[in-house]
Amino acid sequence: MSGRNGGGVGGLPAVGGVLGMLGVLGGGLYWLGNQKSPQSTTDDSARKTLQNRYARGEIDEEEYRRRRERLDATDEDISN
């Protein structure tokens, strides 16, 4: 015997384990990096909906400004 593990595949499971752990770590970092706070998503959605309704003519300029001011006031309350 020359001291080998029957063909040289002894280190293969270790390499696979390291690569697997790197994949899990990279996936976790990617997921954490793409997280948004639920509040900002809701605010953006409300603003987008308001802008779309105004653009389609469903609400007039006065109503648009009133609702936008209400959204801005809500943002200020949350940040304080």
Coordinates of all heavy atoms in Angstrom, one line a residue:
M1 N 0.8 -1.2 0.0 CA 0.0 0.0 0.0 C 0.9 1.2 0.0 O 1.9 1.3 0.6 CB -0.9 0.0 1.2 CG -1.9 -1.0 1.3 SD -3.3 -0.2 0.7 CE -4.5 -1.3 0.3
S2 N 0.4 2.2 -0.7 CA 1.2 3.5 -0.8 C 0.7 4.6 0.2 O 1.2 5.7 0.1 CB 1.2 4.0 -2.2 OG -0.1 4.3 -2.6
G3 N -0.2 4.3 1.0 CA -0.7 5.2 2.0 C -1.9 6.1 1.5 O -2.3 7.0 2.1
R4 N -2.4 5.7 0.4 CA -3.6 6.5 -0.2 C -4.9 5.9 0.3 O -4.9 4.7 0.7 CB -3.5 6.6 -1.7 CG -2.3 7.4 -2.2 CD -2.4 7.5 -3.6 NE -1.3 8.4 -4.0 CZ -1.4 9.1 -5.1 NH1 -2.4 9.0 -5.9 NH2 -0.4 9.9 -5.4
N5 N -6.0 6.7 0.1 CA -7.3 6.2 0.5 C -8.0 5.5 -0.7 O -9.1 5.9 -1.1 CB -8.2 7.3 1.0 CG -7.9 7.6 2.5 OD1 -7.4 6.8 3.2 ND2 -8.4 8.8 2.9
G6 N -7.4 4.6 -1.2 CA -8.1 3.8 -2.3 C -8.5 4.6 -3.5 O -9.6 4.5 -4.0
G7 N -7.6 5.5 -4.0 CA -7.9 6.2 -5.2 C -7.9 7.7 -5.1 O -8.2 8.4 -6.0
G8 N -7.7 8.2 -3.9 CA -7.5 9.7 -3.7 C -8.8 10.5 -3.6 O -8.8 11.6 -3.9
V9 N -9.9 9.9 -3.2 CA -11.2 10.6 -3.0 C -11.4 10.9 -1.5 O -12.5 11.3 -1.2 CB -12.4 9.8 -3.6 CG1 -12.3 9.7 -5.1 CG2 -12.5 8.5 -2.9
G10 N -10.4 10.8 -0.7 CA -10.6 11.0 0.7 C -10.9 12.4 1.1 O -11.7 12.7 2.1
G11 N -10.4 13.4 0.4 CA -10.7 14.8 0.7 C -11.9 15.3 0.0 O -12.3 16.5 0.3
L12 N -12.6 14.6 -0.8 CA -13.7 15.1 -1.6 C -14.9 15.4 -0.6 O -15.5 16.5 -0.8 CB -14.2 14.0 -2.6 CG -15.2 14.5 -3.6 CD1 -14.7 15.7 -4.4 CD2 -15.5 13.4 -4.6
P13 N -15.3 14.6 0.3 CA -16.4 15.0 1.2 C -16.1 16.3 2.0 O -17.0 17.1 2.2 CB -16.5 13.8 2.2 CG -16.0 12.7 1.5 CD -14.9 13.2 0.6
A14 N -14.8 16.5 2.4 CA -14.5 17.8 3.1 C -14.6 19.0 2.2 O -15.2 20.0 2.6 CB -13.0 17.7 3.6
V15 N -14.2 18.9 1.0 CA -14.4 20.0 0.0 C -15.9 20.3 -0.2 O -16.3 21.4 -0.3 CB -13.7 19.7 -1.3 CG1 -14.0 20.7 -2.4 CG2 -12.2 19.6 -1.1
G16 N -16.7 19.2 -0.4 CA -18.1 19.4 -0.6 C -18.8 20.0 0.6 O -19.6 20.9 0.5
G17 N -18.3 19.7 1.8 CA -18.9 20.3 3.0 C -18.5 21.7 3.1 O -19.4 22.6 3.5
V18 N -17.3 22.1 2.8 CA -16.9 23.5 2.8 C -17.7 24.3 1.8 O -18.2 25.4 2.1 CB -15.4 23.6 2.6 CG1 -15.0 25.1 2.4 CG2 -14.6 23.1 3.8
L19 N -17.8 23.8 0.6 CA -18.6 24.5 -0.4 C -20.0 24.6 -0.1 O -20.7 25.7 -0.3 CB -18.4 23.7 -1.8 CG -17.1 23.8 -2.5 CD1 -17.1 23.0 -3.7 CD2 -16.7 25.3 -2.8
G20 N -20.6 23.6 0.6 CA -22.0 23.7 1.0 C -22.2 24.7 2.1 O -23.1 25.5 2.0
M21 N -21.2 24.8 3.0 CA -21.3 25.8 4.1 C -21.2 27.2 3.5 O -21.9 28.2 3.9 CB -20.3 25.6 5.2 CG -20.5 24.4 6.0 SD -22.1 24.4 6.8 CE -21.8 25.8 8.0
L22 N -20.3 27.4 2.5 CA -20.1 28.7 1.9 C -21.4 29.1 1.1 O -21.8 30.3 1.1 CB -18.9 28.7 0.9 CG -17.6 28.7 1.5 CD1 -16.5 28.5 0.5 CD2 -17.4 30.0 2.3
G23 N -22.1 28.1 0.5 CA -23.3 28.4 -0.2 C -24.4 28.8 0.8 O -25.2 29.8 0.5
V24 N -24.5 28.2 1.9 CA -25.5 28.5 2.9 C -25.2 29.9 3.5 O -26.1 30.7 3.6 CB -25.6 27.5 4.1 CG1 -26.4 28.0 5.3 CG2 -26.1 26.2 3.6
L25 N -24.0 30.2 3.8 CA -23.6 31.5 4.3 C -23.9 32.6 3.3 O -24.4 33.6 3.6 CB -22.1 31.5 4.7 CG -21.5 32.8 5.2 CD1 -22.2 33.2 6.5 CD2 -20.0 32.7 5.4
G26 N -23.5 32.4 2.0 CA -23.8 33.3 1.0 C -25.2 33.6 0.8 O -25.7 34.7 0.6
G27 N -26.0 32.5 0.8 CA -27.5 32.7 0.7 C -28.1 33.5 1.8 O -29.0 34.3 1.6
G28 N -27.6 33.2 3.0 CA -28.1 34.0 4.2 C -27.7 35.4 4.1 O -28.6 36.3 4.4
L29 N -26.5 35.8 3.7 CA -26.1 37.2 3.5 C -26.9 37.8 2.4 O -27.3 39.0 2.5 CB -24.6 37.2 3.2 CG -23.7 36.9 4.4 CD1 -22.3 36.9 3.9 CD2 -23.9 37.9 5.5
Y30 N -27.2 37.1 1.3 CA -28.0 37.7 0.2 C -29.4 38.0 0.7 O -29.9 39.1 0.4 CB -28.0 36.7 -0.9 CG -28.9 37.1 -2.1 CD1 -28.4 38.1 -3.0 CD2 -30.2 36.6 -2.3 CE1 -29.2 38.5 -4.1 CE2 -31.0 37.0 -3.3 CZ -30.5 38.0 -4.2 OH -31.2 38.4 -5.3
W31 N -30.0 37.1 1.4 CA -31.3 37.3 2.0 C -31.4 38.5 2.9 O -32.3 39.3 2.9 CB -31.8 36.0 2.7 CG -33.2 36.1 3.3 CD1 -34.3 36.1 2.6 CD2 -33.5 36.2 4.6 NE1 -35.4 36.2 3.5 CE2 -34.9 36.3 4.8 CE3 -32.7 36.3 5.8 CZ2 -35.5 36.4 6.0 CZ3 -33.3 36.4 7.0 CH2 -34.7 36.5 7.1
L32 N -30.4 38.5 3.8 CA -30.4 39.7 4.8 C -30.2 41.0 4.1 O -30.8 42.0 4.5 CB -29.3 39.5 5.8 CG -29.5 38.4 6.9 CD1 -28.3 38.2 7.7 CD2 -30.7 38.8 7.8
G33 N -29.4 41.0 3.0 CA -29.1 42.3 2.3 C -30.3 42.7 1.5 O -30.4 43.9 1.2
N34 N -31.3 41.9 1.2 CA -32.4 42.3 0.4 C -33.7 42.5 1.2 O -34.8 42.6 0.7 CB -32.7 41.2 -0.7 CG -31.7 41.3 -1.8 OD1 -31.2 42.3 -2.1 ND2 -31.3 40.1 -2.3
Q35 N -33.5 42.5 2.5 CA -34.7 42.7 3.4 C -35.0 44.2 3.4 O -34.2 45.1 3.5 CB -34.4 42.3 4.8 CG -34.2 40.8 5.0 CD -35.5 40.1 4.7 OE1 -36.6 40.4 5.2 NE2 -35.5 39.1 3.8
K36 N -36.3 44.5 3.4 CA -36.8 45.9 3.5 C -37.7 45.9 4.7 O -38.4 45.0 5.1 CB -37.7 46.3 2.3 CG -36.9 46.6 1.1 CD -37.8 47.1 0.0 CE -37.0 47.4 -1.3 NZ -37.8 48.0 -2.3
S37 N -37.8 47.1 5.3 CA -38.7 47.2 6.5 C -40.1 47.2 6.0 O -40.4 47.8 4.9 CB -38.4 48.5 7.3 OG -38.7 49.6 6.5
P38 N -41.0 46.5 6.6 CA -42.4 46.5 6.2 C -43.1 47.9 6.1 O -43.9 48.1 5.2 CB -43.1 45.6 7.2 CG -42.1 44.9 7.9 CD -40.8 45.7 7.8
Q39 N -42.7 48.8 7.0 CA -43.3 50.1 7.0 C -43.0 50.9 5.7 O -43.8 51.5 5.1 CB -42.9 50.9 8.2 CG -43.6 52.3 8.3 CD -45.1 52.1 8.5 OE1 -45.5 51.2 9.2 NE2 -45.8 52.9 7.8
S40 N -41.7 50.9 5.3 CA -41.3 51.6 4.1 C -42.0 51.0 2.8 O -42.3 51.7 1.9 CB -39.8 51.6 3.9 OG -39.3 50.4 3.7
T41 N -42.1 49.7 2.8 CA -42.8 49.1 1.7 C -44.3 49.5 1.6 O -44.8 49.8 0.6 CB -42.7 47.5 1.8 OG1 -41.4 47.2 1.9 CG2 -43.4 46.9 0.6
T42 N -44.9 49.6 2.8 CA -46.3 50.0 2.8 C -46.4 51.5 2.4 O -47.3 51.8 1.6 CB -46.9 49.8 4.2 OG1 -46.7 48.5 4.6 CG2 -48.3 50.2 4.3
D43 N -45.6 52.3 2.9 CA -45.6 53.7 2.5 C -45.4 53.9 1.0 O -46.1 54.7 0.4 CB -44.5 54.5 3.3 CG -44.9 54.7 4.8 OD1 -46.1 54.4 5.1 OD2 -44.0 55.1 5.6
D44 N -44.4 53.2 0.5 CA -44.1 53.3 -0.9 C -45.3 52.9 -1.8 O -45.7 53.5 -2.8 CB -42.9 52.5 -1.3 CG -41.6 53.1 -0.7 OD1 -41.6 54.3 -0.3 OD2 -40.6 52.3 -0.7
S45 N -46.0 51.8 -1.3 CA -47.1 51.3 -2.0 C -48.3 52.3 -2.0 O -49.0 52.5 -3.0 CB -47.5 50.0 -1.4 OG -48.7 49.5 -2.0
A46 N -48.5 52.9 -0.8 CA -49.6 53.9 -0.7 C -49.3 55.1 -1.6 O -50.2 55.6 -2.2 CB -49.7 54.3 0.8
R47 N -48.1 55.6 -1.6 CA -47.7 56.7 -2.4 C -47.9 56.4 -3.9 O -48.4 57.2 -4.7 CB -46.3 57.1 -2.2 CG -46.1 57.8 -0.9 CD -44.7 58.3 -0.7 NE -44.4 58.7 0.7 CZ -44.8 59.8 1.2 NH1 -45.5 60.7 0.5 NH2 -44.6 60.1 2.4
K48 N -47.5 55.2 -4.3 CA -47.6 54.8 -5.7 C -49.0 54.6 -6.1 O -49.4 55.1 -7.2 CB -46.8 53.4 -5.9 CG -46.8 52.9 -7.3 CD -46.0 53.9 -8.2 CE -44.7 53.3 -8.4 NZ -43.9 54.1 -9.3
T49 N -49.8 54.1 -5.2 CA -51.3 54.0 -5.5 C -51.9 55.4 -5.7 O -52.7 55.6 -6.6 CB -52.0 53.2 -4.4 OG1 -51.4 51.9 -4.3 CG2 -53.5 53.1 -4.7
L50 N -51.5 56.3 -4.8 CA -52.1 57.6 -4.8 C -51.7 58.3 -6.1 O -52.5 58.9 -6.8 CB -51.6 58.4 -3.6 CG -52.1 59.9 -3.5 CD1 -53.6 59.9 -3.4 CD2 -51.4 60.6 -2.3
Q51 N -50.4 58.2 -6.5 CA -49.9 58.8 -7.8 C -50.6 58.2 -9.0 O -51.0 58.9 -9.9 CB -48.4 58.6 -7.9 CG -47.6 59.4 -6.9 CD -46.1 59.0 -6.9 OE1 -45.7 58.1 -7.5 NE2 -45.3 59.8 -6.2
N52 N -50.8 56.9 -9.0 CA -51.5 56.2 -10.1 C -52.9 56.7 -10.2 O -53.4 56.9 -11.3 CB -51.4 54.7 -9.9 CG -50.1 54.1 -10.2 OD1 -49.2 54.8 -10.8 ND2 -49.8 53.0 -9.7
R53 N -53.6 56.8 -9.1 CA -55.0 57.3 -9.1 C -55.1 58.7 -9.6 O -56.0 59.0 -10.4 CB -55.7 57.1 -7.7 CG -55.9 55.7 -7.3 CD -56.7 55.6 -6.1 NE -58.0 56.0 -6.3 CZ -58.9 56.4 -5.4 NH1 -58.5 56.3 -4.1 NH2 -60.1 56.8 -5.7
Y54 N -54.2 59.5 -9.2 CA -54.2 60.9 -9.7 C -53.9 60.9 -11.2 O -54.6 61.6 -12.0 CB -53.2 61.7 -9.0 CG -53.0 63.2 -9.4 CD1 -54.1 64.0 -9.3 CD2 -51.9 63.6 -10.0 CE1 -54.0 65.4 -9.8 CE2 -51.8 64.9 -10.5 CZ -52.8 65.8 -10.3 OH -52.7 67.1 -10.8
A55 N -52.9 60.1 -11.7 CA -52.5 60.1 -13.1 C -53.7 59.6 -13.9 O -53.9 60.0 -15.1 CB -51.3 59.2 -13.3
R56 N -54.5 58.7 -13.4 CA -55.6 58.1 -14.2 C -56.9 59.1 -14.1 O -57.8 58.8 -14.8 CB -56.0 56.8 -13.7 CG -55.0 55.7 -14.0 CD -55.6 54.3 -13.7 NE -55.9 54.1 -12.3 CZ -55.2 53.5 -11.4 NH1 -54.1 53.0 -11.7 NH2 -55.6 53.4 -10.1
G57 N -56.8 60.1 -13.3 CA -57.9 61.0 -13.2 C -59.0 60.6 -12.2 O -60.1 61.1 -12.2
E58 N -58.7 59.6 -11.4 CA -59.7 59.1 -10.5 C -59.9 60.1 -9.3 O -61.0 60.1 -8.7 CB -59.3 57.7 -9.9 CG -59.3 56.7 -10.9 CD -58.8 55.3 -10.4 OE1 -58.7 55.2 -9.1 OE2 -58.5 54.4 -11.2
I59 N -58.9 60.9 -9.0 CA -59.0 61.9 -8.0 C -58.5 63.2 -8.5 O -57.6 63.2 -9.4 CB -58.2 61.5 -6.7 CG1 -56.8 61.3 -6.9 CG2 -58.9 60.3 -6.0 CD1 -55.9 61.0 -5.7
D60 N -59.0 64.3 -8.0 CA -58.5 65.6 -8.6 C -57.3 66.1 -7.8 O -56.8 65.4 -6.8 CB -59.6 66.7 -8.5 CG -60.1 66.9 -7.1 OD1 -59.5 66.4 -6.1 OD2 -61.1 67.7 -6.9
E61 N -56.7 67.2 -8.2 CA -55.5 67.7 -7.6 C -55.6 68.0 -6.1 O -54.8 67.7 -5.3 CB -55.0 68.9 -8.3 CG -53.6 69.4 -7.8 CD -53.1 70.6 -8.7 OE1 -53.7 70.9 -9.7 OE2 -52.0 71.1 -8.2
E62 N -56.8 68.6 -5.7 CA -57.0 68.9 -4.3 C -57.0 67.7 -3.5 O -56.4 67.6 -2.4 CB -58.4 69.7 -4.2 CG -58.7 70.1 -2.8 CD -60.0 70.8 -2.7 OE1 -60.5 71.4 -3.7 OE2 -60.6 70.8 -1.6
E63 N -57.7 66.6 -3.9 CA -57.8 65.4 -3.2 C -56.4 64.7 -3.1 O -56.0 64.2 -2.1 CB -58.8 64.4 -3.8 CG -58.9 63.1 -3.1 CD -59.6 63.2 -1.8 OE1 -60.2 64.2 -1.5 OE2 -59.5 62.2 -1.0
Y64 N -55.6 64.8 -4.2 CA -54.3 64.2 -4.3 C -53.4 64.9 -3.2 O -52.7 64.3 -2.5 CB -53.7 64.4 -5.7 CG -52.2 64.1 -5.8 CD1 -51.8 62.7 -5.8 CD2 -51.3 65.1 -5.8 CE1 -50.5 62.4 -5.9 CE2 -49.9 64.7 -5.9 CZ -49.5 63.4 -5.9 OH -48.2 63.1 -6.0
R65 N -53.4 66.3 -3.2 CA -52.6 67.0 -2.2 C -53.0 66.7 -0.8 O -52.2 66.5 0.1 CB -52.7 68.5 -2.5 CG -52.0 68.9 -3.7 CD -52.1 70.4 -4.0 NE -51.7 70.8 -5.3 CZ -50.6 71.5 -5.5 NH1 -49.9 72.0 -4.5 NH2 -50.2 71.8 -6.7
R66 N -54.3 66.6 -0.5 CA -54.8 66.3 0.8 C -54.3 65.0 1.3 O -53.8 64.8 2.4 CB -56.3 66.4 0.9 CG -56.9 66.3 2.2 CD -58.4 66.4 2.2 NE -59.1 65.4 1.5 CZ -59.3 64.1 2.0 NH1 -58.9 63.8 3.2 NH2 -59.9 63.2 1.3
R67 N -54.4 64.0 0.4 CA -54.0 62.6 0.8 C -52.4 62.5 0.9 O -51.9 61.8 1.8 CB -54.5 61.6 -0.2 CG -56.0 61.4 -0.1 CD -56.5 60.4 -1.1 NE -57.9 60.3 -1.0 CZ -58.6 59.3 -1.4 NH1 -58.0 58.2 -1.9 NH2 -59.9 59.3 -1.4
R68 N -51.7 63.2 0.1 CA -50.3 63.2 0.1 C -49.8 63.9 1.4 O -48.9 63.4 2.1 CB -49.7 63.9 -1.1 CG -48.2 63.7 -1.2 CD -47.6 64.5 -2.3 NE -47.7 65.9 -2.0 CZ -47.6 66.9 -2.9 NH1 -47.4 66.6 -4.1 NH2 -47.8 68.2 -2.5
E69 N -50.4 64.9 1.8 CA -50.1 65.6 3.1 C -50.3 64.7 4.3 O -49.6 64.6 5.2 CB -50.9 66.9 3.2 CG -50.3 68.0 2.3 CD -51.2 69.2 2.3 OE1 -52.2 69.3 3.1 OE2 -50.9 70.2 1.6
R70 N -51.4 63.9 4.2 CA -51.7 63.0 5.3 C -50.7 61.9 5.3 O -50.2 61.5 6.4 CB -53.1 62.3 5.1 CG -53.5 61.5 6.3 CD -54.9 60.8 6.1 NE -55.9 61.8 5.7 CZ -57.1 61.4 5.2 NH1 -57.3 60.1 5.0 NH2 -58.0 62.2 4.8
L71 N -50.2 61.4 4.2 CA -49.1 60.4 4.2 C -47.8 61.0 4.7 O -47.1 60.3 5.5 CB -48.9 59.9 2.7 CG -49.8 58.9 2.2 CD1 -49.5 58.6 0.7 CD2 -49.8 57.6 3.0
D72 N -47.5 62.2 4.4 CA -46.3 62.9 4.9 C -46.4 63.1 6.4 O -45.4 62.8 7.1 CB -46.1 64.3 4.2 CG -45.7 64.1 2.7 OD1 -45.3 63.0 2.3 OD2 -45.9 65.1 2.0
A73 N -47.6 63.4 6.9 CA -47.7 63.6 8.3 C -47.6 62.2 9.1 O -47.0 62.2 10.1 CB -49.1 64.2 8.6
T74 N -48.0 61.2 8.4 CA -47.9 59.8 9.0 C -46.4 59.5 9.1 O -45.9 58.9 10.1 CB -48.7 58.8 8.2 OG1 -50.0 59.2 8.1 CG2 -48.6 57.4 8.8
D75 N -45.7 59.8 8.0 CA -44.2 59.5 8.0 C -43.5 60.2 9.1 O -42.6 59.7 9.8 CB -43.6 59.9 6.7 CG -44.0 59.0 5.5 OD1 -44.5 57.9 5.8 OD2 -43.8 59.3 4.4
E76 N -43.9 61.5 9.3 CA -43.2 62.3 10.4 C -43.5 61.7 11.8 O -42.7 61.7 12.6 CB -43.7 63.8 10.3 CG -43.1 64.5 9.1 CD -43.7 65.9 9.0 OE1 -44.4 66.3 9.9 OE2 -43.5 66.5 7.9
D77 N -44.8 61.3 12.0 CA -45.1 60.7 13.3 C -44.3 59.4 13.5 O -43.9 59.1 14.7 CB -46.6 60.3 13.3 CG -47.5 61.6 13.4 OD1 -47.0 62.7 13.7 OD2 -48.7 61.5 13.1
I78 N -44.1 58.6 12.5 CA -43.4 57.3 12.7 C -41.9 57.6 12.9 O -41.3 56.9 13.8 CB -43.6 56.4 11.4 CG1 -45.1 56.0 11.4 CG2 -42.7 55.3 11.4 CD1 -45.4 55.3 10.1
S79 N -41.4 58.6 12.3 CA -39.9 58.8 12.4 C -39.6 59.4 13.8 O -38.5 59.4 14.2 CB -39.4 59.7 11.3 OG -40.0 61.0 11.3
N80 N -40.5 60.1 14.4 CA -40.3 60.7 15.7 C -40.5 59.8 16.9 O -40.7 58.9 17.2 CB -41.2 61.9 16.0 CG -40.8 63.1 15.0 OD1 -39.6 63.2 14.7 ND2 -41.7 63.9 14.7

